[in-house]
């Protein structure tokens, strides 16, 4: 497996070199909205540790990401009046991974509405801002 690339886009977001619609941060993880959401409120939870995917992250850092995804999932149910949640994590190109800094996708789901295909369209910034506001408010209420 290739080494971790410190210039991947999520590493740049973590260093503040690239913007994101942040919804949650603690000592171990950052959560922000996916700019090409497969469902409204689609959020990515990433470790602050430099891990490429599940194959090189420590169990402890992976647990921090899982805890973050758990928090976002519960907040998203409220924020988006969701009926369910889909969590996904892809490792290596063969596993469907495109960005090589580990991330968990947390996608609010509604009955009868399919996920959009990956990277099918870039969401409007105003929609992302509105969805981030909803999620942050739900997180504050937890
Ligand atoms: P994957 O590596 O296949 O798990 O998916 C990478 C995800 O990152 C896709 O859902 C993209 O829409 C998303 N993505 C790529 N660049 C950015 C970015 N700058 N900000 C937020 N999400 C991004």
């Amino acid at each position: 497996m290739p080494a971790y690339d410190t210039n991947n886009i999520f590493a740049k977001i973590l260093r503040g070199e690239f913007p994101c619609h942040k919804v949650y941060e603690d000592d171990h993880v950052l959560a922000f909205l996916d700019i090409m959401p497969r469902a409204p409120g689609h959020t990515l939870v990433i470790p602050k540790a430099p891990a490429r995917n599940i194959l090189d992250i420590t169990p402890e850092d992976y647990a921090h990401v899982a805890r973050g995804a758990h928090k976002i999932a519960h907040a998203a149910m409220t924020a988006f009046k969701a009926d369910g949640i889909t969590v996904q994590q892809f490792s290596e190109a063969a596993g469907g991974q495109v960005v090589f800094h580990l991330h968990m996708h947390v996608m609010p789901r509604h009955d009868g509405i399919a996920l959009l295909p990956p990277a099918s369209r870039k969401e409007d910034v105003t929609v992302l801002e509105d969805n981030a506001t909803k999620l942050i408010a739900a997180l504050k209420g937890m």
Side-chain angles (χ1 to χ4, degrees):
M1 187 171 82
Y4 179 80
D5 174 9
T6 56
N7 281 323
N8 74 76
I9 188 68
F10 294 170
K12 289 181 180 176
I13 287 174
L14 278 172
R15 291 195 296 267
E17 296 167 9
F18 201 84
C20 72
H21 295 275
K22 179 167 92 175
V23 295
Y24 176 76
E25 181 173 17
D26 64 24
D27 288 346
H28 302 286
V29 301
L30 175 69
F32 52 94
L33 295 186
D34 196 305
I35 52 170
M36 291 180 274
R38 300 185 62 193
H42 180 170
T43 301
L44 303 174
V45 183
I46 70 171
K48 291 190 172 177
R52 188 172 159 89
N53 55 46
I54 200 170
L55 303 172
D56 66 345
I57 195 167
T58 65
E60 293 75 18
D61 284 326
Y62 193 72
H64 289 307
V65 177
R67 188 170 285 112
H70 179 272
K71 188 182 280 285
I72 296 297
H74 282 260
M77 287 296 289
T78 304
F80 303 105
K81 298 181 173 53
D83 300 311
I85 299 287
T86 297
V87 174
Q88 288 183 323
Q89 190 276 309
F90 305 126
S91 290
E92 293 303 310
Q97 188 174 16
V98 174
V99 177
F100 293 95
H101 180 109
L102 186 140
H103 48 281
M104 267 188 205
H105 299 260
V106 181
M107 295 174 278
R109 304 297 304 276
H110 292 89
D111 288 333
I113 300 180
L115 291 174
L116 290 173
S120 44
R121 77 179 187 93
K122 206 167 172 189
E123 186 58 277
D124 290 343
V125 169
T126 51
V127 173
L128 292 173
E129 282 171 356
D130 189 44
N131 286 343
T133 301
K134 285 181 189 162
L135 206 36
I136 290 165
L139 284 161
K140 278 196 181 124
M142 286 171 57

